[in-house]
Amino acid sequence: MPLSLEEKQAIVELTARYNFAIDHHRAEEWADTFTDNGELRVDGKSQAKDRAGLIAFVKKAEASGYKSRHWVCNTLIEGEGNNARLRMYVMAIAIINGLDPYVMGEYDDTLVKVNGQWKFETRRVSFCAGKSFTDGGLKGIPAIARP
């Protein structure tokens, strides 16, 4: 049976929790949006995997001085039962020295329902413009070393 509107809304709210947590450097809350073995992939490359790796990713971002806000739109959610696919556009805006849009891309995510809660199993983002802060996409902020 296709996902209900309530299930889809829960996935939209998961995305909001993800964005607020990463933007405010709440590492454990951000890791909570993923499964225990969840993974963030950027342009096909693993950036962080499993709870400890996800937490370390946010802490490295915070230590670098990275500050941004993530904006998402054009949400498409498909799925059945405890499995879903989420696609959406994303734009990240640095807020270090004013407003500096530095990347635009698309998410294509795999989600699973764990103990009644939706979680990202794999969050995949591919960029169509700009560069991630992990690749030196922000002026004055050094690139974050990958594990």
Side-chain angles (χ1 to χ4, degrees), residues 50-92:
D50 72 40
R51 185 169 180 79
L54 293 162
I55 290 170
F57 180 83
V58 175
K59 289 184 177 184
K60 285 179 186 178
E62 181 177 24
S64 77
Y66 167 78
K67 293 180 184 174
S68 74
R69 294 297 181 263
H70 289 75
W71 296 88
V72 294
C73 65
N74 296 338
T75 304
L76 294 174
I77 302 169
E78 303 165 323
E80 261 188 60
N82 292 325
N83 298 289
R85 178 183 183 195
L86 169 65
R87 293 179 291 158
M88 60 185 9
Y89 293 155
V90 60
M91 181 170 52

Side-chain angles (χ1 to χ4, degrees), residues 25-118:
H25 302 125
R26 296 179 185 146
E28 291 190 18
E29 288 179 35
W30 189 69
D32 287 344
T33 66
F34 289 85
T35 61
D36 288 341
N37 61 344
E39 181 177 23
L40 173 66
R41 299 185 64 80
V42 177
D43 285 332
K45 300 174 189 168
S46 183
Q47 298 294 312
K49 187 170 182 170
D50 72 40
R51 185 169 180 79
L54 293 162
I55 290 170
F57 180 83
V58 175
K59 289 184 177 184
K60 285 179 186 178
E62 181 177 24
S64 77
Y66 167 78
K67 293 180 184 174
S68 74
R69 294 297 181 263
H70 289 75
W71 296 88
V72 294
C73 65
N74 296 338
T75 304
L76 294 174
I77 302 169
E78 303 165 323
E80 261 188 60
N82 292 325
N83 298 289
R85 178 183 183 195
L86 169 65
R87 293 179 291 158
M88 60 185 9
Y89 293 155
V90 60
M91 181 170 52
I93 301 168
I95 57 169
I96 300 162
N97 297 310
L99 299 175
D100 182 14
Y102 67 94
V103 72
M104 179 173 264
E106 298 179 19
Y107 285 115
D108 190 352
D109 306 322
T110 304
L111 295 91
V112 294
K113 199 170 190 183
V114 178
N115 297 324
Q117 299 291 314
W118 286 101

Side-chain angles (χ1 to χ4, degrees), residues 3-18:
L3 296 176
S4 68
L5 290 176
E6 291 82 9
E7 295 289 352
K8 290 181 178 187
Q9 182 61 34
I11 291 170
V12 169
E13 289 179 13
L14 172 70
T15 302
R17 285 194 306 277
Y18 170 100

